[in-house]
Amino acid sequence: MRHAPSPPAAQSFAKPAAKPAAKPAPVIEELRPGQSIELLKELHILTREGKLNQDTRRKLKQVYHLYQFIEPLLNEVAASSPAPTLADHGAGKSYLGFILYDLFFNVAHRGQKTAGHIYGIETRAELVAKSRALAARLGFARMSFLNLTVAEATTSPDLPGRIDIVTALHACDTATDDAIAFGLAKQARHMVLVPCCQAEVASVLKKSRALNLARTPLAELWRHPLHTREFGSQITNVLRCLQLEASGYQVTVTELVGWEHSMKNELILASRPATPNAAKTRAAQERLTQVLQALGLAELGARFAVSAALASAP
């Protein structure tokens, strides 16, 4: 009896192991739509993996805090000027300029036909070269970086005759005064200044300490060396504010960040109205002269010189 052949044994094929699904990029709530991730990595606000940690989250918060002071000024200028200009003195790695450019042009006015230009002014050639390379890589076409001193920048043909906004972030010693002089010469509409360490006024107070102690009991305010340094720093910023007010600006002084972040966080905001208040301008001019004389600082009169043209300009 013949049996039917058995069917061939079924072949089993093992399915290849499925690849694990790629994890979606983490959503960072603090970032704004359109912000440049590459820029934030370059500035070490984001880690190389594109993440925020506790320290970088605090740094990003400080960035936004500073931007909230400057954005309204840019918007105000942009409302009346097709191409607002901003010059950042003592730019260093141009941290401030890059952040302003990205948040204002790429985020706040994304997709809009906005013009304008940001100038980073820095004396260290290697930092200027790095900033130029980064701007080119990011496509930030309306940024220029100039290897100039403030005095050179004032007359440089690479800058326009007028600058709308002048910034100086943590400009040490007399660099803030130089930025103010630049702003006055360029008839800036706004100045945003965060002074840092200051020594010039303190050195003059120290030099004339004995004479002033004999002349006025107020010299006790700076008799001790530590007080000389602290009082010198305080009075320097007072004189800067008077200089700006005497030149027709309206001045507000506040703190940039909490004291837990930095002791050097005084923020001076100066804006020039279309028509300066003549009475307030004259009063500030008189008070500036009186303070310089009362503290034995008359030799610094040129440092805190008033722009008569701005004070009376319409």
Side-chain angles (χ1 to χ4, degrees):
M1 185 176 177
R2 184 178 290 182
H3 297 281
S6 302
Q11 296 181 356
S12 62
F13 296 93
K15 293 182 178 180
K19 294 182 179 180
K23 293 182 178 179
V27 176
I28 302 176
E29 295 180 357
E30 289 89 347
L31 298 188
R32 302 179 183 183
Q35 263 188 285
S36 170
I37 300 301
E38 184 179 354
L39 172 63
L40 295 176
K41 288 181 179 180
E42 287 283 345
L43 300 179
H44 304 293
I45 291 176
L46 289 180
T47 65
R48 291 182 179 179
E49 295 76 26
K51 297 179 180 178
L52 281 174
N53 56 38
Q54 185 175 355
D55 289 338
T56 56
R57 182 170 277 106
R58 182 165 55 248
K59 185 182 292 187
L60 183 61
K61 183 179 179 180
Q62 293 176 26
V63 166
Y64 288 157
H65 188 62
L66 177 60
Y67 180 66
Q68 79 176 17
F69 288 107
I70 302 178
E71 182 186 23
L73 308 182
L74 284 166
N75 282 326
E76 178 195 313
V77 173
S80 58
S81 170
T85 53
L86 183 146
D88 181 33
H89 282 284
K93 296 179 180 178
S94 293
Y95 182 104
L96 175 61
F98 278 117
I99 287 292
L100 289 175
Y101 189 102
D102 193 36
L103 289 179
F104 187 74
F105 292 117
N106 296 342
V107 177
H109 296 273
R110 188 178 185 183
Q112 300 178 19
K113 292 183 178 180
T114 54
H117 207 94
I118 292 180
Y119 299 87
I121 300 168
E122 172 57 48
T123 58
R124 289 166 287 183
E126 68 278 9
L127 295 183
V128 171
K130 288 181 179 178
S131 294
R132 286 173 178 168
L134 179 57
R137 190 161 71 249
L138 296 173
F140 288 9
R142 286 169 287 163
M143 291 192 80
S144 298
F145 304 94
L146 307 175
N147 182 206
L148 300 170
T149 64
V150 178
E152 292 168 341
T154 304
T155 57
S156 171
D158 293 325
L159 286 142
R162 289 194 179 189
I163 292 289
D164 294 309
I165 302 174
V166 173
T167 61
L169 181 62
H170 294 144
C172 287
D173 203 14
T174 59
T176 298
D177 303 299
D178 295 338
I180 291 174
F182 173 91
L184 295 178
K186 293 291 187 179
Q187 301 184 33
R189 291 169 62 174
H190 305 284
M191 297 193 213
V192 182
L193 312 166
V194 181
C196 197
C197 48
Q198 299 134 29
E200 185 182 39
V201 170
S203 66
V204 176
L205 290 171
K206 180 179 179 181
K207 181 175 64 176
S208 59
R209 182 185 297 145
L211 176 63
N212 283 320
L213 281 169
R215 186 176 60 87
T216 172
L218 288 178
E220 290 292 336
L221 292 171
W222 65 91
R223 178 164 64 92
H224 298 285
L226 177 61
H227 294 161
T228 303
R229 186 183 68 193
E230 293 178 344
F231 182 74
S233 177
Q234 174 79 0
I235 200 62
T236 297
N237 288 338
V238 170
L239 291 168
R240 287 166 174 163
C241 292
L242 283 171
Q243 177 190 19
L244 288 164
E245 289 174 335
S247 298
Y249 286 80
Q250 295 174 345
V251 177
T252 301
V253 181
T254 185
E255 64 177 17
L256 177 59
V257 293
W259 293 112
E260 69 274 14
H261 300 301
S262 173
M263 293 298 288
K264 302 294 184 181
N265 73 338
E266 183 172 338
L267 175 63
I268 300 173
L269 296 168
S271 297
R272 185 169 60 87
T275 303
N277 185 307
K280 289 184 177 180
T281 297
R282 284 195 300 271
Q285 290 172 349
E286 294 172 2
R287 189 57 56 90
L288 174 61
T289 300
Q290 291 168 349
V291 171
L292 287 169
Q293 292 177 345
L295 299 179
L297 299 172
E299 67 183 80
L300 295 177
R303 168 65 68 185
F304 300 101
V306 173
S307 172
L310 280 181
S312 57

